[in-house]
Amino acid sequence: MGNWIINHGLTYFILVVWMAINTFLFVWFYFLYDLGDRFIYTRHILGSALSWARAPAAVLNFNCMLILLPVCRNLLSLIRGSFMCCGRTIRKQLDKNISFHKLVAYMIALMTAVHIIAHLVNAERYYNSRHGDYDELSTALSNLGDTANTTYLNPIRSLSTTPILLVFTSIAGLTGVVITLALILMITSSMEVIRRSYFEVFWFTHHLFIVFFAGLVFHGAGRIVRGQTATDPPHDPKHCDDEVDEWGMEENCPIPQFAGGFPQTWMWVIGPMVLYVCERLLRFVRYLQSVQYRKVSIVIRPSKVLELQLMKNGFKMDVGQYVFLNCPSISQLEWHPFTMTSAPEEDFFSVHIRSAGDWTQKLISVVEQLPAGAQGPKMSVDGPFGTASEDVFDYEVAMLVGAGIGVTPFASVLKSIWYKSKESNPKLSTRKIYFYWLCRETHAFEWFADLLQVLEREMEERGMGDFLTYKLFLTGWDQSQATHVMVHADKDTDVITGLKQKTNYGRPNWDKEFEQIADVHEWKVVGTFLCGPAALASVLAKKCVKYTDVDPRKTKFYFNQENF
Amino acid sequence: MGKIEWAMWANEQALASGLILLTGGIVGVAGQFRDWQFAAYAVAAGVFVCLLEYPRGKRNKGTSVERTGQYCFTVCVKSFGPLTRNYYVRAFIHAGICVPGGFMLATILGCVCLGIASLIYLAAAIRGEHWEPILPRKDSARKPVADSINRPPQNPPPRPPAEMRRKRAEDLEGAAYVNPIPVTANE
């Protein structure tokens, strides 16, 4: 239990707080409308459907406020930066921003369903009471209305208005339908299968959020849910509700007056909307800013990996961060994320781009056709944005796991360690690094093997050969490769990567690896960093919990994951 | 990223519309709304759409992820042949199904959603996509492992260098190699 709290405690605490606020809002607003004296007559017509519509509305306000915050990347970077003092556990929560965004979205979907169903019932009940299908009081209440039509209760003002007509002629109804459609389209297009395979569909459809928020702000403007207002002398429903015929004639029971509730939603969402607009403005400013290519900048390796070395004024990066690149000559709208492979100590920043899709292929062909010595195509950069790997240097022992293309953030980490150790940087608290590299085939990553080779040489020259332990795991191998390896088994360097460390075949035995590290580093805090698939993440997260010991004399493993 | 297969999104959208239509129908029937007969229709239509759309089609490229337990639905849907294979047919089925939903407030949202799904299916059909079932692949790709060797080697080591090789005179036919120099049995 203790080891579980160390790793997941804060995450679940945040979720519990979020859920508690949701529950509180729901219950509070439910009883506000279920018990409030202002709504006695409204409730008489609508029954509990009134509360069932208003309580989800309050929860929706809260969640619509939250949903924009986790996608403000620059804001998160800012928060991450200002929490530098406050420990890595808090910062770690910021990496789960997209999970939180999804969770809030699920809550919005659920509450929207409840809200709509309740309002369907409400519309039907208003319609029936206008037609006199209920008791005398309901009919009388529905018939109320002054000449200016401002103090009525029943929004269905004529006998010919059907529920459908009500919805399509009122602000609340019309905006409600539009934003629900926008929400449904956004949800269906962000299902895993669409998001992963047809990102453009997801990306462009998700911009319906503009429609969603515009509609949301005006949704309450129609003031369609009406409560009783004070009159002089006061009209007390508890006394007057059985003397409908006497209303207005008797001293104590004047004709009741009603008014709509003040629209509140815009107050909830205006803050995050402004923040998001700033975010997009910043992105636009960065789109306009110019980026220079470094002189020897474009290196096409045999496996079609493009290395871009770029320079930009005022650009300051940290290890393992990523940038969004936009190449207007390919597409004005598409921003693609790339992890930077350079160290903060270098005066430029670099990305390695592998040909993996339309955009990257086009970029590579554009670069290939460039005349010698020419500058690359115009490029805009948004970022840098932080991820978990920034915290590597906070742990005394770091265990880095990169799977496939997931080695890229660690390229930056390793380079930076190299620079730091060269300068004997006192800030470097890391004493030992374990690096695991799992991949199906290495030939796409020669550039990374190059980097490791350089590091290996440097480390040995400086007599810190045991600072970095790395293990390579080749998960996809065949017989011919195995034979090749057997033949060269007694050579000093590995046949595939040319590194001192021999490649392992198959997947690592994590239990063994964790046990070994736990044995060697008692008293230490080990940061485990993964950049790789979700399946591996859940395995590693479990192992981290399993091998963490609450006993301060034993090893603790903290799990960090990088998202793609 | 490759070519977008619109049918995948249409499928998600149609399935969601089916559920929304079903929910709206249940609310309408349970609340005995005016014209609740349309709601009863929506329940049936919602169930039908869900059944039709639950089995996800196969993607042209890349791996197709099945929905949980979709196999038996796949078989049912597949049995209708061209009716369920062709996305034009689907687009028209959905367009037809959604119309009666528009006569009642409770089902109007499902109706519009299904209409949108129908439009996306139409786009998919125009781009030449069609539904292919995801069926479990027969695992024939694995190479059969060679039979284990259970006979002793014919020419066991240690083996002399090639020029020194000679057959044992007692068993000239039994040897695996040719004698480099003619030999005779010791006399």
Side-chain angles (χ1 to χ4, degrees), chain A residues 22 35 86 225 253 266 276 384 449 501:
Chain A
N22 281 326
L35 302 174
C86 309
V225 177
C253 290
W266 66 271
Y276 193 81
Q501 191 77 40

Side-chain angles (χ1 to χ4, degrees), chain A residues 66-80:
Chain A
L66 289 182
I67 197 149
L68 282 179
L69 298 179
V71 288
C72 291
R73 288 192 293 261
N74 287 299
L75 179 73
L76 290 183
S77 278
L78 194 73
I79 296 175
R80 181 191 297 278

Side-chain angles (χ1 to χ4, degrees), chain B residues 14-95:
Chain B
L15 187 61
S17 325
L19 289 173
I20 294 163
L21 205 56
L22 178 63
T23 315
I26 290 171
V27 172
V29 174
Q32 286 294 303
F33 287 3
R34 198 175 63 103
D35 300 333
W36 63 270
Q37 290 83 355
F38 285 111
Y41 161 82
V43 172
V47 170
F48 171 75
V49 171
C50 287
L51 289 181
L52 176 65
E53 295 296 340
Y54 190 74
R56 192 178 276 152
K58 196 171 172 178
R59 284 174 54 199
N60 278 334
K61 218 176 91 183
T63 46
S64 309
V65 187
E66 288 187 59
R67 289 201 179 90
T68 322
Q70 77 163 51
Y71 178 69
C72 56
F73 294 97
T74 309
V75 174
C76 298
V77 171
K78 184 173 167 270
S79 64
F80 288 95
L83 277 183
T84 47
R85 215 178 96 87
N86 190 323
Y87 282 144
Y88 280 111
V89 177
R90 267 193 206 215
F92 288 120
I93 288 177
H94 290 326

Side-chain angles (χ1 to χ4, degrees), chain A residues 124 188 197-200, chain B residues 1 5 9 12-13 34 59:
Chain A
E124 193 71 17
T188 58
S197 319
Y198 318 108
F199 187 80
E200 292 97 328
Chain B
M1 190 104 320
E5 289 179 59
W9 182 27
E12 298 285 341
Q13 176 71 20
R34 198 175 63 103
R59 284 174 54 199

Side-chain angles (χ1 to χ4, degrees), chain B residues 94-123:
Chain B
H94 290 326
I97 285 177
C98 82
V99 171
F103 292 106
M104 188 190 176
L105 184 61
T107 55
I108 217 161
L109 201 60
C111 154
V112 179
C113 284
L114 198 59
I116 294 173
S118 157
L119 289 178
I120 309 175
Y121 263 131
L122 195 63

Side-chain angles (χ1 to χ4, degrees), chain A residues 277-294:
Chain A
V277 168
C278 294
E279 177 89 21
R280 291 306 282 252
L281 280 178
L282 189 61
R283 217 179 282 184
F284 183 68
V285 169
R286 284 176 170 165
Y287 170 77
L288 298 176
Q289 278 171 349
S290 66
V291 174
Q292 289 94 42
Y293 285 81
R294 205 158 161 264

Side-chain angles (χ1 to χ4, degrees), chain A residues 380-391:
Chain A
S380 306
V381 177
D382 186 21
F385 301 111
T387 46
S389 339
E390 270 178 53
D391 304 339

